[in-house]
Amino acid sequence: MLTDKVAIVTGASRGIGRAIALALASQGAKVVASARNAEALAELTAEIKSQDGDALAVVGDVAVEDDANNLVKKTVEAYGQVDVFINNAGITRDGLLLRMKNADWDAVLDTNLKGAFLCTRAVAKVMSKQRSGRIINISSVVGEMGNAGQANYCASKAGLLGLTKSVARELARRNVTVNAITPGFITTEMTEDMTGKAQEAMTDQIPLGRPGSAEDVANAVIFLASEQSAYITGQVLGVNGGMYM
Ligand code: NAP
């Protein structure tokens, strides 16, 4: 259980982030949910409260430094501490390298990698002072494997693994662990846009024979946020049905 722990989740308005927020709340954590869509966040926090949980919505864009700092500040004001931080916000702007626009490269790197850097730096100050904390970064299996048509996305997700391992080394003496999860092909709005054929081709590559669910990823987050994972840091946990081993 994560009773009375305070957990921040970015990109909590839908998909994997929403499932992570609900799972953390079901374990007794106080959840601070962040994203740009205020309405979706209000709906999520209302759902958590209706199940006797405690939740706060903080609207913001992870790629904006003031928003990242404000997210941590508002959390400390409300709850006095931050025990768990999930860098989950992410976007795709797919296209083949030769046709990739600078704007598509910048948008993906700004949200997926710079956003995680800004949030991690903001929360690391608080966790270092506390001498405890868990930072969990949602990368991707394609950050490990590469994927044609996703040079920007794969670069951002591979970069997140480098950030994870470096910050894990920097914060270990402060009793702050930093780990990454690399989800495989997970059914959410992000993957809904793919054609039926592309979805079938992806599923064919998965030894367990099915796409993952947002809850499959949330289960791994709960483990990495729990006492049971206290001696694990700088690691990459694949949640991919065996797609990459
Ligand atoms: P999704 O359904 O598209 O949700 C993305 C979330 O990120 C939304 O809540 C969105 O909220 C938020 N977000 C996007 N840009 C943001 C920004 N600049 N600032 C703050 N929040 C932002 O995607 P998902 O499938 O749940 O993916 C969640 C994470 O898992 C991503 O990092 C993704 O790369 C990773 N992942 C997904 C899969 C998969 O197969 N689905 C596989 C591997 C890894 P707003 O639009 O309201 O801001």
Side-chain angles (χ1 to χ4, degrees), residues 36-59:
R36 295 163 303 176
N37 183 335
E39 214 174 290
L41 290 180
E43 206 181 285
L44 170 66
T45 53
E47 185 174 335
I48 292 173
K49 286 177 187 165
S50 75
Q51 292 159 8
D52 288 334
D54 194 342
L56 173 74
V58 180
V59 177

Side-chain angles (χ1 to χ4, degrees), residues 10-17 34-37 60-63 88-91 111-112 138-141 153 157 183-191:
T10 69
S13 59
R14 59 177 188 269
I16 293 171
S34 190
R36 295 163 303 176
N37 183 335
D61 181 335
V62 289
N88 168 78
I91 59 167
T111 300
N112 299 8
I138 308 300
S139 173
S140 170
V141 70
Y153 183 74
K157 293 301 187 179
F185 179 45
I186 310 294
T187 310
T188 67
E189 278 177 36
M190 190 178 264
T191 48

Side-chain angles (χ1 to χ4, degrees), residues 100-182:
M100 187 168 286
K101 304 225 170 11
N102 291 358
D104 292 333
W105 176 271
D106 290 344
V108 169
L109 270 290
D110 278 356
T111 300
N112 299 8
L113 189 53
K114 188 178 176 197
F117 155 65
L118 293 173
C119 289
T120 301
R121 188 176 60 185
V123 81
K125 283 181 197 151
V126 176
M127 289 180 170
S128 292
K129 245 193 234 162
Q130 285 173 183
R131 296 199 171 261
S132 72
R134 299 289 166 84
I135 298 171
I136 302 165
N137 297 326
I138 308 300
S139 173
S140 170
V141 70
V142 298
E144 299 170 293
M145 297 170 66
N147 198 20
Q150 289 197 307
N152 50 358
Y153 183 74
C154 296
S156 74
K157 293 301 187 179
L160 198 48
L161 299 182
L163 178 74
T164 301
K165 293 174 189 181
S166 301
V167 181
R169 288 182 185 277
E170 288 189 24
L171 300 184
R173 293 297 168 98
R174 301 281 174 150
N175 191 33
V176 176
T177 67
V178 190
N179 292 291
I181 291 173
T182 49

Side-chain angles (χ1 to χ4, degrees), residues 207-226:
L208 284 178
R210 66 165 176 92
S213 67
E215 288 71 27
D216 288 322
V217 180
N219 289 336
V221 168
I222 295 301
F223 169 63
L224 289 175
S226 75

